[in-house]
Amino acid sequence: MNRSHIPQHDELVPSLRKRVRGRVALGKPATCPLGRGSASLQPDPCKGVMPLSRDLREKTATLHDRAETLLGLPGGIMGRADYVDWLRHFLALYDPIERRIAGFEGWSRLACVDPDPGHSRRLLRDLGALGIDADRVLRAPSECCPPLTNFARALGARYVLEGSALGGRVILHHLKKRIGDEIGETTAFFGGPSHGTATHWRAFQAALDRFGAAHPDERADVLAGAAATFTALIEWFAPFVAARRV
């Protein structure tokens, strides 16, 4: 597939700067809350075409950096109350997104990839252990979620969520040092999949590259889904972060 036909990230979300600029207080985060991981080293079976995971990394880099700077984790979590607030806000957005992702039948095409990403389940586990009734957490309305109109866009959204789990382990390391006694063992969300975040990421990355090679005509939708998910995350968290800085 000719790479010139793949829209750049600015083409995917032309109004992002207009919506975000001026609303987000910028500051250098202590670490990377949305870890992108390394680009795939596996050769793409389709000669001359960049692996899809690497293409995603490059074309969403600016959006990733905007989200990372906005969240500024772990700096924004100074105690148990802060920790609970962040988990609640993540659940409010992740839960409806993951329900949409899991609703597509295309996951059967990707070996070793569970239709349910599992991040919301880990959030529910942590909040429950902290004594929070997650059923009372208002979920983000549909207009605040990325428009995942097909499986390829859902795959792009999942790329964003899976990548965030990489940075979560780094955040957790700092949180344990700072407020470990306050949060105890309620670390499932930032801790990532129980079978190892790096292993999980590599398996997903390989599946992503296989999909990109087998379905070159759907690469643009995967890119669009990832860009839309980064945008949704930025717009969902911008007011939350701004309110906490007052």
Side-chain angles (χ1 to χ4, degrees):
M1 178 177 178
N2 191 329
R3 286 181 56 200
S4 65
H5 292 168
I6 300 176
Q8 300 297 310
H9 110 81
D10 285 339
E11 296 176 283
L12 295 171
V13 283
S15 62
L16 175 66
R17 288 195 181 89
K18 184 176 180 181
R19 287 181 296 200
V20 176
R21 182 176 295 159
R23 292 172 48 193
V24 178
L26 299 180
K28 182 67 176 177
T31 187
C32 174
L34 292 171
R36 285 172 288 185
S38 60
S40 173
L41 299 180
Q42 298 296 320
D44 195 315
C46 187
K47 290 183 179 180
V49 177
M50 180 184 296
L52 182 54
S53 61
R54 187 179 301 168
D55 206 13
L56 279 162
R57 178 183 170 87
E58 293 188 3
K59 290 193 171 75
T60 62
T62 299
L63 283 168
H64 169 277
D65 291 344
R66 286 179 181 273
E68 175 187 297
T69 301
L70 169 65
L71 298 182
L73 293 172
I77 302 177
M78 304 305 296
R80 184 183 185 279
D82 290 335
Y83 189 66
V84 169
D85 285 347
W86 279 91
L87 293 183
R88 286 166 57 99
H89 212 63
F90 271 114
L91 177 67
L93 181 65
Y94 273 39
D95 189 32
I97 292 178
E98 289 194 326
R99 288 177 185 274
R100 295 182 185 196
I101 288 174
F104 287 95
E105 298 179 354
W107 298 108
S108 60
R109 289 187 274 171
L110 301 181
C112 304
V113 177
D114 190 327
D116 179 10
H119 304 296
S120 295
R121 283 189 282 107
R122 289 189 286 277
L123 282 162
L124 290 170
R125 189 187 316 161
D126 286 342
L127 287 168
L130 288 164
I132 305 300
D133 182 358
D135 289 339
R136 299 177 67 86
V137 176
L138 294 179
R139 273 40 170 190
S142 59
E143 59 267 25
C144 293
C145 297
L148 307 181
T149 54
N150 56 41
F151 175 73
R153 286 177 179 254
L155 184 58
R158 184 152 182 179
Y159 165 82
V160 177
L161 302 190
E162 298 295 352
S164 71
L166 295 175
R169 296 297 291 271
V170 181
I171 292 170
L172 180 59
H173 175 74
H174 289 278
L175 291 177
K176 282 186 173 180
K177 287 183 176 180
R178 184 188 306 159
I179 60 172
D181 291 342
E182 297 182 57
I183 64 176
E185 298 300 317
T186 61
T187 58
F189 174 63
F190 285 115
S194 59
H195 55 279
T197 304
T199 300
H200 180 81
W201 170 253
R202 285 193 294 270
F204 174 74
Q205 192 177 52
L208 189 63
D209 290 341
R210 289 195 302 272
F211 181 87
H215 306 280
D217 57 325
E218 297 184 59
R219 290 173 67 109
D221 273 344
V222 178
L223 289 163
T229 302
F230 271 123
T231 302
L233 187 146
I234 290 168
E235 295 186 340
W236 177 250
F237 272 94
F240 173 80
V241 172
R244 299 178 68 81
R245 289 175 176 167
V246 175

